[in-house]
Amino acid sequence: MSDPILIDLHCHLLPGIDDGASNENATVDLMRKEEADGVRAVMFTPHFYYERMGLDSFAENRKAAYSVAVKACQREGIRVAAKCGAEVHFTPALPFLDLSKLCYAGTHYILVELPTNVHPAGIEETLYSILQRGYTPILAHVERFPYVTENPALLYNWVTMGCLAQVNANAFLRGGETAKAVHRYVKWNLIHLMASDAHSIKRRPPNLKDGHAALPADLSEYFMRNGEAVFFDREPSLPEPVEPKKLFGLWK
């Protein structure tokens, strides 16, 4: 089996399209950092909010920003493969949208961002409807949601439905309670992918290399192989999820 390659499946590096790279120069700086860190491919995932923008307008803006980014990287000699997707903010309208315009290009995977502080009503029904349409939701940065920390059985339910869960590299780098929670998710086989969620060089830089360096070798390889599978629209090899149990007030 060949060695896996490092792929960043969640980052905001397209110029001027969301709260990530502000312009072409920022995109170049971020892509240089990705390349220096050994990243060989990225999935550009600008934010999409159904309630704020039309899907066709979003797709057109993303296409224009992607063209600028690719030309700039070619001009600068940056050799990192790139495709487009989106970080799709949760809405009950998702099953009724043209998801082919939002999923990772050339794949059946779609990155879904849940609300940060509130467990959204109808989430299970919405995810089920997406799965029934043949798409696999990837739940973005699941370490950020306090309602999941308080009740990880929610994450277990979503994973057993068929969703994948992504964690940001920062979750392993910062330590503290977030890292403890994420390591529990890993123990329960509820995390499948790691990405940078990079936005800017100074504030939220690409850090996938550092994130992998903080992991045991087998976990690092697991994340890398899953990242490859998703990028190339293959099915990752996933262990059976373990249902979290609460014992004396603590999740075990």
Side-chain angles (χ1 to χ4, degrees):
M1 184 180 294
S2 61
D3 291 337
I5 61 174
L6 196 57
I7 297 176
D8 196 352
L9 289 174
H10 179 181
C11 55
H12 299 266
L13 310 188
L14 287 181
I17 194 171
D18 63 4
D19 60 341
S22 57
N23 54 46
E24 180 180 334
N25 291 335
T27 295
V28 168
D29 289 344
L30 287 159
M31 289 292 284
R32 277 202 187 109
K33 178 66 164 62
E34 294 273 34
E35 184 178 43
D37 283 353
V39 173
R40 293 295 169 256
V42 301
M43 188 71 71
F44 295 127
T45 53
H47 291 286
F48 173 72
Y49 298 92
Y50 171 72
E51 289 78 9
R52 301 183 192 176
M53 64 189 74
L55 178 52
D56 289 339
S57 295
F58 168 78
E60 290 174 8
N61 291 340
R62 181 183 59 187
K63 181 179 180 180
Y66 176 75
S67 178
V68 171
V70 168
K71 289 177 182 176
C73 288
Q74 290 175 342
R75 184 180 66 244
E76 298 295 326
I78 297 171
R79 298 174 62 84
V80 177
K83 298 199 293 187
C84 282
E87 182 178 10
V88 184
H89 193 71
F90 173 80
T91 171
L94 266 178
F96 308 103
L97 301 180
D98 183 354
L99 299 182
S100 67
K101 296 181 179 180
L102 294 170
C103 64
Y104 288 173
T107 83
H108 67 289
Y109 295 100
I110 180 169
L111 184 67
V112 178
E113 179 187 33
L114 303 182
T116 302
N117 295 315
V118 180
H119 177 207
I123 177 64
E124 283 77 20
E125 293 82 358
T126 300
L127 293 175
Y128 178 77
S129 295
I130 294 172
L131 287 158
Q132 287 297 106
R133 289 186 55 187
Y135 295 93
T136 297
I138 297 174
L139 304 178
H141 44 59
V142 294
E143 75 278 7
R144 290 188 181 179
F145 309 126
Y147 49 90
V148 172
T149 305
E150 294 165 3
N151 182 12
L154 290 172
L155 183 57
Y156 170 81
N157 292 337
W158 301 332
V159 168
T160 54
M161 285 175 62
C163 298
L164 301 181
Q166 175 254 315
V167 67
N168 287 354
N170 262 346
F172 293 104
L173 297 172
R174 288 182 307 198
E177 292 303 315
T178 298
K180 290 179 182 178
V182 170
H183 280 291
R184 286 195 294 271
Y185 302 160
V186 168
K187 180 182 70 173
W188 297 324
N189 298 329
L190 300 180
I191 301 293
H192 313 103
L193 301 159
M194 184 170 68
S196 74
D197 194 9
H199 279 64
S200 69
I201 284 293
K202 291 185 178 180
R203 187 166 55 92
R204 292 169 67 179
N207 59 0
L208 206 49
K209 177 183 177 182
D210 294 337
H212 277 276
L215 301 178
D218 58 342
L219 181 57
S220 172
E221 181 175 348
Y222 171 71
F223 284 152
M224 290 176 70
R225 292 201 182 280
N226 284 351
E228 270 191 25
V230 168
F231 191 85
F232 294 109
D233 199 32
R234 301 193 298 259
E235 296 296 329
S237 179
L238 305 177
E240 190 72 22
V242 177
E243 184 174 7
K245 300 291 185 181
K246 203 168 190 179
L247 183 63
F248 302 116
L250 299 175
W251 289 98
K252 300 290 187 180

Coordinates of all heavy atoms in Angstrom, one line a residue, residues 9-57:
L9 N -9.2 19.2 3.6 CA -10.5 19.2 3.1 C -11.4 20.3 3.5 O -12.6 20.3 3.2 CB -11.2 17.8 3.5 CG -10.6 16.6 2.8 CD1 -11.2 15.3 3.5 CD2 -10.9 16.6 1.3
H10 N -10.9 21.2 4.4 CA -11.8 22.3 4.9 C -10.9 23.5 5.1 O -10.1 23.5 6.0 CB -12.4 21.9 6.2 CG -13.3 22.9 6.8 ND1 -14.0 22.7 8.0 CD2 -13.6 24.2 6.4 CE1 -14.7 23.8 8.3 NE2 -14.4 24.7 7.4
C11 N -11.0 24.5 4.2 CA -10.2 25.7 4.3 C -10.9 26.8 3.5 O -11.6 26.6 2.6 CB -8.8 25.5 3.8 SG -8.6 24.9 2.1
H12 N -10.5 28.0 3.9 CA -11.2 29.2 3.4 C -10.1 30.1 2.7 O -9.7 31.2 3.2 CB -11.9 30.0 4.4 CG -13.0 29.2 5.1 ND1 -14.3 29.2 4.6 CD2 -13.0 28.2 6.1 CE1 -15.0 28.4 5.3 NE2 -14.2 27.8 6.2
L13 N -9.6 29.6 1.6 CA -8.4 30.2 0.9 C -8.8 30.9 -0.4 O -7.9 31.6 -0.9 CB -7.4 29.1 0.6 CG -7.0 28.2 1.8 CD1 -5.8 27.3 1.4 CD2 -6.7 29.0 3.1
L14 N -10.0 30.8 -0.8 CA -10.4 31.5 -2.1 C -10.4 33.0 -1.8 O -10.9 33.5 -0.7 CB -11.7 31.1 -2.6 CG -11.8 29.7 -3.2 CD1 -13.2 29.4 -3.7 CD2 -10.8 29.6 -4.4
P15 N -10.0 33.9 -2.7 CA -9.9 35.3 -2.4 C -11.2 36.0 -2.5 O -12.0 35.9 -3.4 CB -9.0 35.8 -3.6 CG -9.2 34.8 -4.7 CD -9.4 33.5 -4.0
G16 N -11.5 36.8 -1.4 CA -12.6 37.7 -1.4 C -14.0 37.2 -1.4 O -14.9 37.9 -1.8
I17 N -14.2 35.9 -1.0 CA -15.5 35.3 -1.2 C -16.2 35.1 0.2 O -17.4 35.0 0.3 CB -15.4 34.0 -1.9 CG1 -16.8 33.5 -2.4 CG2 -14.7 32.9 -1.2 CD1 -16.8 32.4 -3.3
D18 N -15.4 35.1 1.3 CA -16.0 34.9 2.6 C -15.1 35.6 3.6 O -14.3 36.5 3.3 CB -16.4 33.5 2.9 CG -15.2 32.5 3.0 OD1 -14.0 33.0 2.8 OD2 -15.3 31.3 3.1
D19 N -15.1 35.0 4.8 CA -14.2 35.6 5.9 C -12.8 35.0 5.9 O -12.1 35.2 6.9 CB -14.9 35.4 7.3 CG -15.1 34.0 7.6 OD1 -15.1 33.1 6.7 OD2 -15.3 33.7 8.8
G20 N -12.4 34.4 4.8 CA -11.1 33.8 4.7 C -10.2 34.8 4.0 O -10.1 35.9 4.4
A21 N -9.4 34.2 3.0 CA -8.5 35.1 2.3 C -9.1 36.3 1.7 O -10.1 36.2 1.0 CB -7.8 34.3 1.2
S22 N -8.6 37.5 2.1 CA -9.2 38.7 1.7 C -9.0 39.1 0.2 O -9.8 39.8 -0.4 CB -8.8 39.9 2.6 OG -7.3 40.0 2.5
N23 N -7.8 38.6 -0.3 CA -7.5 39.0 -1.7 C -6.6 37.9 -2.3 O -6.2 36.9 -1.6 CB -6.9 40.4 -1.8 CG -5.7 40.5 -0.8 OD1 -4.8 39.6 -0.8 ND2 -5.6 41.6 -0.1
E24 N -6.2 38.1 -3.5 CA -5.3 37.2 -4.2 C -4.0 37.0 -3.5 O -3.5 35.8 -3.5 CB -5.1 37.7 -5.7 CG -4.2 36.9 -6.6 CD -4.1 37.5 -7.9 OE1 -5.0 38.3 -8.4 OE2 -3.0 37.2 -8.6
N25 N -3.4 38.0 -3.0 CA -2.1 37.9 -2.3 C -2.2 37.0 -1.1 O -1.3 36.2 -0.8 CB -1.5 39.3 -1.9 CG -1.1 40.1 -3.1 OD1 -0.8 39.5 -4.2 ND2 -1.1 41.4 -3.0
A26 N -3.3 37.2 -0.3 CA -3.6 36.4 0.8 C -3.7 34.9 0.4 O -3.2 34.0 1.1 CB -4.8 36.9 1.6
T27 N -4.4 34.7 -0.7 CA -4.5 33.3 -1.1 C -3.2 32.7 -1.4 O -2.9 31.5 -1.1 CB -5.4 33.3 -2.4 OG1 -6.7 33.7 -2.1 CG2 -5.5 31.9 -3.0
V28 N -2.3 33.4 -2.1 CA -1.0 32.9 -2.5 C -0.2 32.6 -1.2 O 0.4 31.5 -1.1 CB -0.2 33.9 -3.3 CG1 1.2 33.5 -3.5 CG2 -0.9 34.0 -4.7
D29 N -0.2 33.5 -0.2 CA 0.5 33.2 1.0 C 0.0 32.0 1.7 O 0.8 31.2 2.2 CB 0.3 34.4 2.0 CG 1.1 35.7 1.5 OD1 2.0 35.5 0.6 OD2 0.8 36.8 2.0
L30 N -1.3 31.8 1.8 CA -1.9 30.6 2.4 C -1.6 29.3 1.7 O -1.2 28.3 2.3 CB -3.4 30.8 2.5 CG -3.9 31.8 3.6 CD1 -5.3 32.3 3.3 CD2 -3.8 31.2 5.0
M31 N -1.6 29.4 0.3 CA -1.3 28.2 -0.4 C 0.2 27.9 -0.4 O 0.6 26.7 -0.4 CB -1.7 28.4 -1.9 CG -3.2 28.4 -2.1 SD -4.0 26.8 -1.8 CE -3.6 25.9 -3.3
R32 N 1.0 28.9 -0.3 CA 2.5 28.6 -0.1 C 2.7 27.9 1.3 O 3.5 27.0 1.4 CB 3.2 29.9 0.0 CG 3.6 30.5 -1.4 CD 4.8 31.5 -1.3 NE 5.0 32.1 -2.6 CZ 4.8 33.4 -2.8 NH1 4.2 34.2 -1.8 NH2 5.1 34.0 -3.9
K33 N 2.0 28.3 2.3 CA 2.1 27.6 3.6 C 1.6 26.2 3.5 O 2.2 25.3 4.1 CB 1.3 28.4 4.6 CG 1.3 27.8 6.0 CD 2.6 27.9 6.7 CE 2.6 27.6 8.2 NZ 2.1 26.3 8.6
E34 N 0.5 26.0 2.8 CA 0.0 24.6 2.7 C 1.1 23.7 2.0 O 1.4 22.6 2.4 CB -1.3 24.6 1.8 CG -2.5 25.2 2.5 CD -3.3 24.3 3.4 OE1 -2.7 23.4 4.0 OE2 -4.5 24.4 3.4
E35 N 1.7 24.3 0.9 CA 2.7 23.5 0.2 C 3.9 23.2 1.0 O 4.4 22.1 1.0 CB 3.1 24.3 -1.1 CG 4.0 23.5 -2.0 CD 4.4 24.3 -3.3 OE1 4.6 25.5 -3.2 OE2 4.4 23.6 -4.3
A36 N 4.3 24.3 1.8 CA 5.5 24.1 2.6 C 5.3 23.0 3.7 O 6.2 22.4 4.1 CB 5.9 25.4 3.2
D37 N 4.0 22.9 4.1 CA 3.7 21.9 5.1 C 3.5 20.5 4.6 O 3.2 19.6 5.4 CB 2.4 22.4 5.9 CG 2.7 23.5 6.9 OD1 3.8 23.8 7.1 OD2 1.7 24.0 7.4
G38 N 3.6 20.4 3.3 CA 3.5 19.0 2.7 C 2.1 18.7 2.2 O 1.9 17.6 1.8
V39 N 1.2 19.7 2.2 CA -0.1 19.4 1.7 C -0.1 19.3 0.2 O 0.5 20.2 -0.5 CB -1.1 20.6 2.2 CG1 -2.5 20.4 1.5 CG2 -1.3 20.5 3.7
R40 N -0.7 18.3 -0.3 CA -0.6 18.1 -1.8 C -1.9 18.4 -2.5 O -1.9 18.5 -3.7 CB -0.2 16.6 -2.1 CG 1.2 16.3 -1.6 CD 2.3 17.1 -2.4 NE 3.6 17.0 -1.9 CZ 4.2 18.0 -1.2 NH1 3.5 19.1 -1.0 NH2 5.4 17.9 -0.8
A41 N -3.0 18.6 -1.8 CA -4.2 18.9 -2.4 C -5.1 19.6 -1.4 O -5.0 19.3 -0.2 CB -5.0 17.7 -2.9
V42 N -5.9 20.6 -1.8 CA -6.9 21.3 -0.9 C -8.2 21.3 -1.6 O -8.4 21.2 -2.8 CB -6.4 22.7 -0.6 CG1 -5.1 22.8 0.0 CG2 -6.5 23.6 -1.9
M43 N -9.2 21.3 -0.7 CA -10.6 21.5 -1.1 C -11.0 22.9 -0.6 O -11.1 23.1 0.6 CB -11.5 20.4 -0.5 CG -12.9 20.4 -1.0 SD -13.1 19.8 -2.7 CE -12.8 18.1 -2.5
F44 N -11.2 23.8 -1.5 CA -11.7 25.1 -1.1 C -13.2 25.0 -0.7 O -14.0 24.5 -1.4 CB -11.6 26.1 -2.3 CG -10.2 26.3 -2.8 CD1 -9.9 26.2 -4.1 CD2 -9.2 26.8 -1.9 CE1 -8.6 26.5 -4.6 CE2 -7.9 27.0 -2.4 CZ -7.6 26.9 -3.7
T45 N -13.4 25.5 0.5 CA -14.8 25.4 1.1 C -15.3 26.7 1.6 O -15.4 26.9 2.8 CB -14.8 24.3 2.2 OG1 -13.8 24.6 3.2 CG2 -14.5 22.9 1.7
P46 N -15.6 27.6 0.8 CA -16.2 28.9 1.2 C -17.5 28.7 1.9 O -18.3 27.7 1.5 CB -16.3 29.7 -0.1 CG -16.4 28.7 -1.2 CD -15.5 27.6 -0.7
H47 N -17.9 29.6 2.8 CA -19.2 29.5 3.5 C -20.3 29.7 2.5 O -20.3 30.6 1.6 CB -19.3 30.6 4.6 CG -18.4 30.3 5.7 ND1 -18.6 29.4 6.7 CD2 -17.2 31.0 6.1 CE1 -17.6 29.4 7.6 NE2 -16.8 30.4 7.2
F48 N -21.4 28.9 2.7 CA -22.6 29.1 2.0 C -23.8 29.2 3.0 O -24.0 28.2 3.8 CB -22.9 28.0 1.0 CG -24.3 28.1 0.3 CD1 -24.6 29.1 -0.6 CD2 -25.3 27.3 0.7 CE1 -25.8 29.3 -1.1 CE2 -26.6 27.4 0.2 CZ -26.8 28.4 -0.8
Y49 N -24.5 30.3 3.0 CA -25.7 30.5 3.8 C -26.9 30.6 3.0 O -27.0 31.6 2.3 CB -25.5 31.7 4.7 CG -24.3 31.7 5.7 CD1 -23.1 32.2 5.3 CD2 -24.4 31.1 6.9 CE1 -22.0 32.1 6.1 CE2 -23.4 31.1 7.8 CZ -22.1 31.6 7.4 OH -21.1 31.6 8.3
Y50 N -27.8 29.7 3.0 CA -28.9 29.7 2.1 C -29.8 30.9 2.4 O -30.4 31.5 1.4 CB -29.8 28.4 2.4 CG -31.1 28.4 1.8 CD1 -31.2 28.2 0.4 CD2 -32.3 28.5 2.5 CE1 -32.5 28.2 -0.2 CE2 -33.5 28.5 1.9 CZ -33.6 28.3 0.6 OH -34.9 28.3 0.0
E51 N -29.9 31.3 3.6 CA -30.8 32.4 4.0 C -30.2 33.8 3.5 O -30.9 34.8 3.6 CB -31.1 32.5 5.5 CG -32.0 31.4 6.0 CD -31.3 30.0 6.1 OE1 -30.0 30.0 6.0 OE2 -32.0 29.0 6.4
R52 N -28.9 33.8 3.1 CA -28.2 35.1 2.8 C -27.9 35.2 1.3 O -27.7 36.3 0.9 CB -26.9 35.2 3.6 CG -27.0 35.2 5.1 CD -25.7 35.4 5.7 NE -25.7 35.1 7.1 CZ -24.6 35.1 7.9 NH1 -23.4 35.4 7.3 NH2 -24.6 34.8 9.2
M53 N -27.9 34.1 0.6 CA -27.4 34.2 -0.8 C -28.1 33.2 -1.7 O -28.4 32.1 -1.2 CB -25.9 34.1 -0.9 CG -25.4 32.8 -0.5 SD -23.6 32.7 -0.4 CE -23.3 33.6 1.1
G54 N -28.3 33.5 -2.9 CA -28.8 32.5 -3.9 C -27.7 31.5 -4.2 O -26.5 31.8 -4.3
L55 N -28.1 30.2 -4.5 CA -27.2 29.2 -4.8 C -26.4 29.5 -6.1 O -25.2 29.3 -6.2 CB -27.9 27.8 -4.8 CG -27.1 26.6 -5.2 CD1 -25.8 26.5 -4.3 CD2 -27.9 25.3 -5.1
D56 N -27.2 29.9 -7.1 CA -26.5 30.2 -8.4 C -25.5 31.3 -8.3 O -24.4 31.2 -8.9 CB -27.5 30.5 -9.5 CG -28.4 29.3 -9.9 OD1 -27.9 28.2 -9.7 OD2 -29.5 29.5 -10.4
S57 N -25.8 32.4 -7.5 CA -24.9 33.5 -7.3 C -23.7 33.0 -6.6 O -22.5 33.4 -6.9 CB -25.6 34.6 -6.6 OG -26.6 35.2 -7.3

